Amino acid sequence: KNEVEQSPQNLTAQEGEFITINCSYSVGISALHWLQQHPGGGIVSLFMLSSGKKKHGRLIATINIQEKHSSLHITASHPRDSAVYICAVIFNTDKLIFGTGTRLQVFP
Amino acid sequence: DSGVTQTPKHLITATGQRVTLRCSPRSGDLSVYWYQQSLDQGLQFLIQYYNGEERAKGNILERFSAQQFPDLHSELNLSSLELGDSALYFCASSVGVMGGYTFGSGTRLTVV
């Protein structure tokens, strides 16, 4: 069983829709990252969370430590948001353990 | 430019060969991490160095080795290459656990 579970695996949306991607993990963590990987392959760190909520532009990330769950929300989605979104957690060392990713496609 | 530099961007080599991937971390970051992303396995942690010392090891094969030099750049050496080693290899750097991560653009290795 993967220590980090993401859902959904694939997601399609129309431009302007509100999008939610979920991440659950199995044990206590030090921090959680949301990463974005574009078709070209590059990975960008969007957020690092250890509690609460963070917002950057149209992106919002939340984490509930007690429930071992995090969500990434995209408001007013746009085709340029099309990418793979990866949740990654840090357990008892500072290496990342990755979820399997959510492939998002936003159509105009 | 993320501040983490990986070279080369692409590498094509034959089975049985040895290659070296290079990573220069973002200025001020002491930790360097190597990750492998293959089609069937997703992103996997290989190894971490902190200020020149090996800090953590993941699913790294014995044919692979790494080191971090005094100037903090790191090299990942892959030897006796097999077709299954074809993957994207990412380097990332951070100040520490809560300092956030910065990824390099990756090296795409193709073993033929």
Side-chain angles (χ1 to χ4, degrees):
Chain A
K1 185 180 184 298
N2 199 3
E3 293 168 298
V4 182
E5 299 280 351
Q6 270 186 253
S7 63
Q9 281 192 308
N10 294 285
L11 188 53
T12 57
Q14 288 296 125
E15 184 172 355
E17 285 185 12
F18 180 83
I19 287 160
T20 296
I21 300 170
N22 296 299
C23 174
S24 297
Y25 49 92
S26 55
V27 296
I29 64 171
S30 303
L32 181 146
H33 289 254
W34 280 103
L35 309 173
Q36 180 192 56
Q37 186 171 28
H38 275 285
I43 296 176
V44 174
S45 178
L46 298 173
F47 295 104
M48 186 183 69
L49 295 160
S50 55
S51 64
K53 177 177 172 177
K54 285 191 177 179
K55 184 175 190 293
H56 185 261
R58 296 180 294 105
L59 302 177
I60 303 165
T62 63
I63 187 168
N64 185 317
I65 297 294
Q66 286 73 31
E67 294 187 3
K68 297 185 175 58
H69 181 268
S70 175
S71 293
L72 176 69
H73 305 286
I74 305 175
T75 61
S77 59
H78 190 276
R80 65 174 174 266
D81 297 325
S82 298
V84 176
Y85 292 84
I86 303 168
C87 167
V89 300
I90 300 172
F91 290 119
N92 55 1
T93 66
D94 50 357
K95 67 179 190 285
L96 288 172
I97 308 295
F98 299 91
T100 51
T102 295
R103 186 174 300 275
L104 170 67
Q105 285 186 294
V106 182
F107 294 100
Chain B
D1 180 11
S2 68
V4 177
T5 304
Q6 280 190 255
T7 56
K9 288 198 185 320
H10 302 276
L11 199 47
I12 301 175
T13 190
T15 54
Q17 294 298 304
R18 172 189 167 95
V19 297
T20 297
L21 312 184
R22 183 188 167 103
C23 170
S24 293
R26 192 179 58 165
S27 178
D29 287 355
L30 299 178
S31 275
V32 170
Y33 310 78
W34 286 99
Y35 295 92
Q36 179 193 55
Q37 187 177 37
S38 55
L39 278 174
D40 57 343
Q41 295 262 330
L43 273 160
Q44 302 273 326
F45 167 71
L46 295 178
I47 197 163
Q48 179 208 354
Y49 280 83
Y50 178 83
N51 203 20
E53 303 279 331
E54 183 184 301
R55 180 89 163 236
K57 221 168 186 176
N59 302 321
I60 187 166
L61 300 172
E62 284 191 14
R63 300 182 285 107
F64 296 0
S65 65
Q67 54 185 326
Q68 187 179 28
F69 294 87
D71 67 352
L72 301 178
H73 91 271
S74 178
E75 292 181 356
L76 178 67
N77 301 296
L78 315 176
S79 61
S80 303
L81 285 167
E82 302 174 0
L83 295 177
D85 298 327
S86 297
L88 262 172
Y89 291 84
F90 286 100
C91 165
S93 73
S94 75
V95 172
V97 174
M98 304 308 288
Y101 268 64
T102 304
F103 283 83
S105 56
T107 294
R108 186 175 295 278
L109 173 66
T110 304
V111 182
V112 296

